[in-house]
Amino acid sequence: MSYFDAASSAPLHPVARQALQASLDEGWADPARLYREGRRARLLLDAAREAAAEAIGCRPDELVFTTSGTRAVHIGIAGTLAGRHRVGRHLIVSAVEHSSVLHSAETHRTQGGTVSEVPVLRTGAVSPDTYAEALRPDTALACLQSANHEVGTEQPVAAVAVACRAAGVPLLVDAAQSLAWGRVEGGWSLLTGSAHKWGGPSGVGLLVVRKGVRYAPQGPADERESGRAPGFENIPGIVAAAASLRAVRAEAAAESARLRELTDRIRARVPELVPDVEVVGDPVRRLPHLLTFSCLYVDGETLLHELDREGFSVSSGSSCTSSTLTPSHVLRAMGVLSEGNVRVSLPLGTPAEEVDRFLDVLPRTVAAVREKLGAPTGAPAVTVVQDDSLVVDALGKRCPIPVIELAKVITDVPVGGTVRVLSDDEAARLDIPAWCEMRGQEYVGEEPTEGGTAYVVRRRAPL
């Protein structure tokens, strides 16, 4: 089995396994106690904190360990907003932040705060100038990930940090995806991470709060971890997390170059091997091990299942794989295709042969899924309104059927004619404009209609 989903959770690094096993025997006691076992546990905890701080580039007393990266985000945002409430209650996030950041922002909004969501370019990156324009006198906190979890695009953290510092606003960086590859540069104020993203054990996160940031821990008081992360420390997990971070950093330079070559190969070959594919995200300013592409006329969930049967574990941001049947907020913010979305994220040590096998398997797998999906049952429900206009009734049909229906009939209208696709699937709002972008057609807009929405497309040229 080829595991290509390191962005979700990286395999446990051998160093983490060794450290975990060793510290189970030494780090079980309460590090707050003064007897021998407690002192031994405290030494392990202090050493892990120093190792993690050195890897991140902060002081050990600025770093606390949490129960997860999500928990680190939640308490980092809540504590900073509370500490700076006299400045104001305005929070800034980018449109492609991790769900933990967006959920925190929604909680802040429901509690009476205000939130500005900075849009992104089609590559998935924010514009530093656009981000700077969102800063206000009442801004208490700004948030920006170091790199996107779904498409791997690196964000201009350093430039945004300059603008935030000039405005006197602390910047929180979700660095979960990038910490394995190096420090986050720039004058950030808070930083979060999650051990299972870099090959450490799950259940360990970290939060860094720079000296000088006004921070007020929320919830009942607790003496552990400077009062910022309550509860008994998971010392074996923390030791393993710090040891694995140090280990992956030692391999980062060589593995970054090797894995970037492999993902560049996938980026280049997939559009050559599979028709109607869009590779999304920044082709250069991106994480070395991660890429995402979307296939037209493919059900994302079916494609993932078929790739799993072929021995490949990949993930997807397609709406078809979501219980809510809504497109990925990242893909939606980027304005790119969400159909048949595949994220490939290679773990350290991935052999080139596995990538070659993936490139061999993918074309026939996509072709089989497309053939299996085919056209909707029976003829498409098309009503001729006039000579140069058609209506496609795709109500009640989920992705990617509305787009398939559109593609089948677009040539039935003359150049300049229109097709109105009726759909009640939220994914159509993203995928029909994205299809037009890919196929050189004009997306006119949407209109409300009984039972759903009419998406209007004008034929621009022969396909």
Side-chain angles (χ1 to χ4, degrees):
M1 192 73 183
S2 297
Y3 182 76
F4 285 2
D5 196 22
S8 291
S9 189
L12 192 66
H13 195 282
V15 169
R17 187 183 303 277
Q18 295 168 4
L20 185 63
Q21 292 174 338
S23 57
L24 284 171
D25 294 330
E26 299 291 331
W28 50 268
D30 186 345
R33 302 307 175 194
L34 298 179
Y35 42 71
R36 180 184 299 107
E37 294 84 356
R39 295 196 304 272
R40 187 180 299 134
R42 169 56 64 181
L43 287 173
L44 288 173
L45 180 59
D46 289 346
R49 196 184 314 278
E50 290 175 5
E54 192 279 329
I56 290 166
C58 67
R59 292 170 41 160
D61 59 354
E62 294 175 327
L63 185 152
V64 298
F65 292 104
T66 66
T67 53
S68 68
T70 293
R71 182 63 177 155
V73 166
H74 290 172
I75 64 176
I77 292 177
T80 309
L81 289 173
R84 287 175 48 81
H85 71 280
R86 292 180 181 174
V87 172
R89 303 200 64 197
H90 179 232
L91 171 67
I92 302 176
V93 300
S94 83
V96 294
E97 293 299 313
H98 187 266
S99 59
S100 59
V101 174
L102 298 183
H103 291 162
S104 291
E106 184 57 31
T107 296
H108 179 60
R109 185 184 284 112
T110 60
Q111 293 173 347
T114 58
V115 179
S116 292
E117 193 172 276
V118 179
V120 295
L121 306 171
R122 194 173 175 84
T123 60
V126 302
S127 160
D129 290 340
T130 303
Y131 201 104
E133 290 170 1
L135 293 164
R136 306 189 326 208
D138 65 337
T139 302
L141 176 64
C143 300
L144 181 65
Q145 60 195 192
S146 56
N148 187 259
H149 295 253
E150 289 191 32
V151 301
T153 296
E154 294 177 338
Q155 299 290 353
V157 171
V160 170
V162 169
C164 289
R165 176 162 291 187
V169 176
L171 176 66
L172 182 148
V173 176
D174 164 25
Q177 286 295 343
S178 70
L179 277 180
W181 305 107
R183 293 181 176 181
V184 178
E185 300 300 329
W188 49 267
S189 303
L190 299 96
L191 180 143
T192 63
S194 188
H196 74 99
K197 300 287 190 178
W198 67 66
S202 59
V204 179
L206 56 84
L207 168 67
V208 178
V209 181
R210 295 283 199 192
K211 294 296 182 183
V213 175
R214 290 187 177 276
Y215 186 92
Q218 299 300 284
D222 192 290
E223 70 278 5
R224 306 277 177 177
E225 293 299 293
S226 304
R228 293 174 181 166
F232 196 91
E233 296 93 343
N234 174 11
I235 294 178
I238 289 170
V239 170
S244 58
L245 181 56
R246 177 183 288 178
V248 298
R249 283 291 185 81
E251 307 170 48
E255 276 296 276
S256 175
R258 196 181 69 83
L259 293 181
R260 185 174 292 275
E261 181 180 340
L262 294 180
T263 52
D264 281 344
R265 185 185 309 176
I266 299 174
R267 289 182 65 90
R269 293 289 290 150
V270 166
E272 297 173 353
L273 297 169
V274 182
D276 298 314
V277 164
E278 181 180 19
V279 182
V280 302
D282 195 298
V284 178
R285 291 184 55 82
R286 63 176 179 85
L287 295 173
H289 70 305
L290 194 160
L291 78 149
T292 294
F293 57 88
S294 299
C295 306
L296 270 174
Y297 319 132
V298 168
D299 176 290
E301 187 173 13
T302 302
L303 180 56
L304 262 60
H305 284 316
E306 292 302 316
L307 287 172
D308 181 54
R309 291 176 59 183
E310 293 284 352
F312 293 97
S313 301
V314 297
S315 65
S316 174
S318 293
S319 59
C320 304
T321 65
S322 167
S323 59
T324 61
L325 293 178
T326 58
S328 151
H329 72 279
V330 172
L331 301 178
R332 183 171 61 246
M334 294 169 62
V336 298
L337 185 70
S338 73
E339 290 178 23
N341 177 263
V342 175
R343 181 183 69 180
V344 173
S345 47
L346 306 178
L348 299 177
T350 299
E353 293 75 18
E354 291 187 13
V355 170
D356 291 337
R357 189 170 73 86
F358 177 76
L359 292 172
D360 180 60
V361 164
L362 182 68
R364 56 184 167 84
T365 303
V366 173
V369 171
R370 284 174 172 165
E371 182 178 2
K372 183 185 298 184
L373 186 64
T377 304
V382 179
T383 302
V384 179
V385 179
Q386 54 188 27
D387 290 345
D388 62 350
S389 182
L390 293 176
V391 175
V392 174
D393 185 355
L395 293 170
K397 298 171 182 176
R398 298 301 177 191
C399 69
I401 300 301
V403 179
I404 291 177
E405 296 277 26
L406 169 62
K408 287 174 61 179
V409 303
I410 189 69
T411 56
D412 292 345
V413 299
V415 173
T418 60
V419 176
R420 298 173 77 248
V421 183
L422 310 184
S423 176
D424 55 359
D425 182 11
E426 179 66 22
R429 179 166 282 110
L430 174 62
D431 288 345
I432 290 177
W435 179 88
C436 292
E437 179 81 16
M438 291 178 68
R439 306 312 295 264
Q441 304 306 302
E442 179 185 353
Y443 178 66
V444 178
E446 62 180 69
E447 305 168 353
T449 190
E450 184 177 355
T453 303
Y455 300 93
V456 184
V457 176
R458 178 174 288 114
R459 184 180 176 192
R460 220 181 231 171
L463 297 177

